[in-house]
Amino acid sequence: MTSPAVPARRVPEAVHRRRWAILGVLMLSLLIVVLDNSILNVAIKTISTPAPTGLGATQSELEWAINAYTLVFAGLLFSAGLLGDRLGRKKVLIGGLVVFGVGSLLASFSGSPAELIGFRAVMGLGAAFVMPATLAVLMNVFERDEQPKAIGIWAGGVGLAIAIGPITGGVLLDHFWWGSVFLINVPIVVLAVGLMLWLVPDSRDPNPGRIDPVGVVLSVTGLVLLVYGIIKGGQLADFTDPTVLVTIAAGLAVLAAFVVFEKRSDHPSIDITYFRNKVFSAAIAAIALVFFALMGVTFFAVFYTQSVRGYSPLETGLLMIPLAAAQMIFAPRARLLVDRFGDKATTTAGLVVLAATLAAFAALDADTPIWILEVVFFLMGAGMAHVMTPVSVVIMQALPREKAGSASALSNTFRQVGGALGIAILGSVLSTAYRDGIEDKLGLLPPGARHAAGESIEATLAVADRLGPRGEALVGAADDAFLHAMHVTALWGAGVAMVGAIVVAVFLPGRTPAPEGDNEEQELVSAAD
């Protein structure tokens, strides 16, 4: 592998001049995808409310509404990245935005939880083509020395979306019906497509790989079976149930078959040889574990603020501003710490801070001063910023520029799979712990209604509301059971983040002098290529 060429030979001058405007358009496309998930987090409680206010979705249906999007997204990212490399990233990016917009329009008028889950899967299909293309285009319009700064700003865009999403969702839910949180995506998609056609250059891999349909089917099937089994176990509060065990085992078996097939294929979706590089593997693992912990914990944080503390969706969105602000402040600046202390120290410290903030949820009660939650959110955002930016740079620079789509797809696949498993596993821990805590208090209900009432705090509160004065005792019991379940789940999330800290502390490189760092970087590229 030769050393990087001079800037004039890598990026055409006309593209170089408008690179920052192009980055702005890419961030708008990214904002749409992230905005949707952050808006949905605020709308979860409303959607779980019975009609006509919501859809009356159960906790397992809510988990599927999130995971239907995530699993389709994760399962198709590699094929989407390869299609972008083959057909042109700009074309694929625009096509993905259009599909995402259509899915959003359909989701906004869903008549049942099942319809919402289906239309969310359509949105995931579109998003799968958007996310890898944004980073792939970024790697092709910025010179190598500017890529860390550009990726930092790109990661800061995630913080912006996290800030705008909950506030926008809260305003919409205060004035319109729940479907408006999806409908808002449509005008943003129209704007993004228009700017894309005007500003963004097309690029492709001169030697693209072939599409791997068998690998795609195996990966999606395995993930769906695994996540279904985990969610079903939480719903039944029994992970020894034969249905749960068989489904989880089948999912793991299919995923194992996927790995074997990819190793033997001459055109794999995932080039397993990339993972022989320990630095690359550690960076990928860090992303997966961060999102496992974060998505699982933010899933219950919304119920804590709205169901236990009584805040409105808009107030909940405002409460999350410190999390987003910290990401916006620190993500573009994380490279400065990397320059001074190295990837290992910066990322390990970020994960330790993240673990501490997740563990802090175990200390929150129904009357904890709200400023404490705000501090926790701010520190959580700061910790994330010092993980996401360094590991994204490591992953994107580990592969040749021509393989930017594949590198981006790898990063985003493991991010989404980590998030999906976080919601499934930690959501199931929450559901099981909640049922254990509330079951003894549901004795006044008919036997047939006890199971449904014990699935989530929203289900219990809905029953208490229907019972009138007789149900008042259930409200306090529901709060107590949920807080206990939240504490247990938070400690699980903190444990996962600490595992991530250990992985990066062992495998990521420490700080090296500049010349040696350049050589090491080239060796990394050669090893991963």
Side-chain angles (χ1 to χ4, degrees), residues 178-193:
W178 64 267
S180 61
V181 302
F182 299 111
L183 192 61
I184 190 67
N185 293 331
V186 177
I188 304 176
V189 165
V190 172
L191 175 62
V193 169

Side-chain angles (χ1 to χ4, degrees), residues 79-446:
S79 293
L82 287 172
L83 275 176
D85 290 343
R86 175 183 288 273
L87 302 177
R89 283 102 184 206
K90 179 178 179 176
K91 297 183 186 71
V92 166
L93 186 49
I94 291 174
L97 285 170
V98 171
V99 172
F100 185 84
V102 171
S104 299
L105 182 63
L106 294 172
S108 65
F109 295 102
S110 300
S112 68
E115 285 186 13
L116 177 62
I117 291 168
F119 294 140
R120 287 277 297 161
V122 174
M123 294 170 68
L125 172 64
F129 289 86
V130 173
M131 186 69 96
T134 59
L135 261 181
V137 172
L138 182 153
M139 298 299 286
N140 277 277
V141 300
F142 282 92
E143 301 299 344
R144 192 173 184 86
D145 61 335
E146 282 191 322
Q147 286 171 3
K149 180 180 180 181
I151 290 175
I153 295 172
W154 180 89
V158 176
L160 179 63
I162 291 174
I164 294 173
I167 297 170
T168 305
V171 171
L172 291 171
L173 291 172
D174 272 3
H175 295 90
F176 304 101
W177 91 114
W178 64 267
S180 61
V181 302
F182 299 111
L183 192 61
I184 190 67
N185 293 331
V186 177
I188 304 176
V189 165
V190 172
L191 175 62
V193 169
L195 292 172
M196 197 83 56
L197 290 168
W198 178 34
L199 284 172
V200 176
D202 208 353
S203 62
R204 65 186 72 202
D205 183 351
N207 299 299
R210 284 189 287 151
I211 304 302
D212 175 25
V214 176
V216 170
V217 171
L218 287 174
S219 62
V220 174
T221 302
L223 284 170
V224 169
L225 287 171
L226 177 61
V227 170
Y228 176 83
I230 293 167
I231 291 176
K232 190 68 176 176
Q235 185 182 0
L236 298 174
D238 182 9
F239 282 87
T240 62
D241 182 88
T243 305
V244 174
L245 291 175
V246 168
T247 309
I248 290 176
L252 292 173
V254 173
L255 289 174
F258 166 72
V259 172
V260 172
F261 180 82
E262 295 301 284
K263 288 178 72 174
R264 295 178 177 177
S265 173
D266 59 355
H267 59 285
S269 291
I270 302 178
D271 190 337
I272 303 298
T273 59
Y274 294 157
F275 293 92
R276 294 174 184 166
N277 185 312
K278 293 179 181 179
V279 173
F280 181 80
S281 297
I284 287 285
I287 280 186
L289 292 172
V290 163
F291 274 80
F292 180 101
L294 187 78
M295 293 294 286
V297 171
T298 52
F299 182 76
F300 69 64
V302 172
F303 288 101
Y304 171 70
T305 56
Q306 294 186 40
S307 300
V308 176
R309 301 300 297 261
Y311 289 101
S312 69
L314 175 57
E315 289 168 335
T316 297
L318 294 171
L319 287 174
M320 295 183 73
I321 286 178
L323 173 65
Q327 283 204 23
M328 291 172 63
I329 292 168
F330 294 111
R333 295 170 174 80
R335 63 190 173 82
L336 302 176
L337 282 183
V338 172
D339 291 344
R340 182 165 184 179
F341 300 107
D343 286 311
K344 182 196 292 281
T346 303
T347 309
T348 303
L351 279 160
V352 170
V353 169
L354 180 63
T357 57
L358 295 176
F361 274 93
L364 300 180
D365 288 313
D367 55 357
T368 300
I370 203 64
W371 66 265
I372 293 179
L373 178 64
E374 297 296 86
V375 171
V376 169
F377 274 149
F378 184 83
L379 293 174
M380 183 183 293
M384 274 197 70
H386 289 95
V387 176
M388 296 309 301
T389 299
V391 297
S392 294
V393 172
V394 167
I395 291 167
M396 293 306 295
Q397 293 192 343
L399 302 184
R401 177 187 292 248
E402 293 76 19
K403 302 295 182 185
S406 298
S408 177
L410 272 168
S411 172
N412 284 293
T413 295
F414 279 84
R415 181 194 316 229
Q416 296 301 322
V417 170
L421 292 176
I423 291 169
I425 294 174
L426 296 185
S428 295
V429 170
L430 181 74
S431 183
T432 302
Y434 179 78
R435 188 183 292 280
D436 289 344
I438 197 67
E439 212 157 26
D440 294 342
K441 310 296 191 300
L442 301 176
L444 54 85
L445 299 178

Side-chain angles (χ1 to χ4, degrees), residues 446-458:
R450 289 175 194 167
H451 186 85
E455 186 175 327
S456 68
I457 185 172
E458 280 305 305

